[in-house]
Amino acid sequence: MTQKNVVVSETKTGINGSGTITVAQKPPAAPGGYVHIPRRRILKNLEINGGQRINTWIDSMRASSPTHVKSSPSLAEEYNSWILRHPSALDMFEQIMDAAKGKQIVMFLDYDGTLSPIVDDPDRAFMSESMRKTVKKLARCFPTAIVTGRCIDKVYNFVRLDELYYAGSHGMDIKGPTKESKYNKNNKAEEVLFQPAREFVPMINEVYEQLVEKTKSTPGARVENHKFCTSVHFRCVDEKRWVELAQQVKSVLKEYPKLRLTQGRKVLEIRPAIKWDKGKALEFLLESLGKFLILFLCFGSSFVTIKHICNTYIS
């Protein structure tokens, strides 16, 4: 979904399953123990430790394909309903600017599909020079962070901007700017702000190695290690092989009850079952930055949206 949406918020909470994003007033507590975290509605019937609902898993994989979304009336209706509740930022830009007057803005950006195009090969999701210059210009005026499912090292290699905050691995690896700025005057080296899932790194490495081995027989399958989580891309896998791929992933995950499954665009993501996600990372960064009053978020936004915000505020 490539929608030009920006959310402005002054309320208290985090990210929920429907995509609503709000601002926390207090720093979130560090996660303690393991919890059951509800899946998205589209995955509500998925049982990793059971074999009777593998078809539901396959249906959810199909639903992440744009061609299936367009051909399904129910999903199309759901999409239209979502658009009514989350209108285009460009269509409502004047209202957004009115709400932002006299308030400090903080920018949170996704990477894939926002700063870079969605591509078949995740290692080739390059950021354009035009986008890089725009984000650099943005960061000179507002605290700016990239919040992504990718590992920080890989995203930084794409972005190459030291003045940004980075929250990688779905917010489980948070680092501050390495370059001195008015928001980070005392840092002389890269600062690790928070890594709530550090103890899971050996387990994630084990799962990654097993998934690589298991999926070798499935052409097009791609496994990525994001340090604190791992992902299995099926964008290039023939749909006829999805059952096979799902069974391969299931056979590995059943031995790791402390990990959970989520799903993105043509990707299955395995991460620690702790009370931490991108929403908690936003709350943590907001508190670290000093309770800023207004929050702009660009997730799944296009270059034109970010450029428009930039031009409005920067002469």
Side-chain angles (χ1 to χ4, degrees):
M1 185 185 301
T2 306
Q3 239 350 87
K4 309 173 185 66
N5 293 294
V6 178
V7 177
V8 182
S9 175
E10 296 180 76
T11 55
K12 176 183 179 182
T13 53
I15 285 185
N16 61 29
S18 66
T20 303
I21 310 176
T22 51
V23 180
Q25 302 300 316
K26 295 181 180 181
Y34 309 105
V35 297
H36 171 74
I37 302 177
R39 276 68 166 168
R40 294 177 181 177
R41 185 170 61 84
I42 201 169
L43 291 174
K44 65 181 179 181
N45 292 321
L46 173 62
E47 293 184 359
I48 294 175
N49 293 318
Q52 69 271 34
R53 293 184 178 174
I54 195 71
N55 288 334
T56 301
W57 193 352
I58 299 304
D59 289 341
S60 71
M61 292 167 72
R62 290 195 184 101
S64 69
S65 167
T67 55
H68 286 282
V69 169
K70 291 178 182 177
S71 63
S72 171
S74 61
L75 286 174
E77 290 173 5
E78 183 177 338
Y79 172 78
N80 291 333
S81 174
W82 190 93
I83 290 299
L84 288 175
R85 289 180 285 111
H86 303 84
S88 166
L90 292 181
D91 292 343
M92 298 187 65
F93 206 79
E94 289 185 9
Q95 296 95 310
I96 292 172
M97 292 303 101
D98 287 340
K101 287 179 180 177
K103 300 173 183 177
Q104 175 63 61
I105 291 175
V106 185
M107 293 296 302
F108 290 94
L109 309 172
D110 198 355
Y111 185 76
D112 293 279
T114 300
L115 301 181
S116 74
I118 297 294
V119 295
D120 290 342
D121 184 351
D123 287 338
R124 300 190 64 80
F126 299 124
M127 184 180 186
S128 70
E129 280 303 317
S130 179
M131 178 62 86
R132 182 174 292 104
K133 289 177 182 177
T134 298
V135 174
K136 184 178 181 70
K137 187 178 181 182
L138 200 66
R140 288 203 299 264
C141 297
F142 317 122
T144 301
I146 294 177
V147 185
T148 175
R150 290 179 180 261
C151 69
I152 282 181
D153 291 343
K154 183 165 287 187
V155 169
Y156 179 79
N157 286 337
F158 283 139
V159 178
R160 303 193 306 276
L161 292 175
D162 293 332
E163 51 267 70
L164 304 183
Y165 290 83
Y166 292 86
S169 300
H170 294 280
M172 287 182 278
D173 190 10
I174 305 174
K175 295 179 181 178
T178 60
K179 183 177 181 179
E180 184 177 300
S181 70
K182 60 182 177 181
Y183 309 112
N184 184 51
K185 294 184 179 298
N186 299 319
N187 286 0
K188 296 181 179 179
E190 187 175 75
E191 179 183 0
V192 176
L193 297 179
F194 199 39
Q195 293 179 333
R198 185 180 301 174
E199 66 185 273
F200 286 88
V201 172
M203 185 184 297
I204 292 296
N205 288 335
E206 285 181 19
V207 170
Y208 168 74
E209 295 294 339
Q210 290 185 44
L211 287 172
V212 168
E213 189 63 30
K214 284 279 187 181
T215 60
K216 279 182 178 179
S217 60
T218 305
R222 178 77 173 270
V223 185
E224 274 194 291
N225 188 339
H226 302 298
K227 188 174 181 179
F228 297 95
C229 56
T230 191
S231 58
V232 180
H233 298 269
F234 58 91
R235 184 175 298 275
C236 297
V237 175
D238 189 314
E239 187 171 333
K240 295 177 182 178
R241 306 292 294 269
W242 285 1
V243 170
E244 175 187 334
L245 181 63
Q247 290 172 338
Q248 290 166 347
V249 175
K250 170 180 165 291
S251 69
V252 173
L253 290 185
K254 68 180 181 181
E255 303 298 329
Y256 294 90
K258 293 179 181 179
L259 299 179
R260 66 186 179 103
L261 175 78
T262 61
Q263 186 173 334
R265 285 172 291 191
K266 292 286 191 173
V267 62
L268 299 172
E269 296 169 327
I270 298 95
R271 51 180 112 165
I274 61 175
K275 288 182 178 179
W276 198 264
D277 53 22
K278 289 181 179 179
K280 293 293 185 183
L282 298 191
E283 294 175 0
F284 180 89
L285 284 169
L286 283 169
E287 184 65 25
S288 299
L289 289 166
K291 296 182 180 178
F292 289 86
L293 296 179
I294 194 163
L295 170 65
F296 270 88
L297 300 121
C298 295
F299 289 93
S301 298
S302 69
F303 170 73
V304 65
T305 306
I306 301 170
K307 185 77 171 179
H308 196 42
I309 296 170
C310 194
N311 289 341
T312 301
Y313 275 89
I314 305 170
S315 58

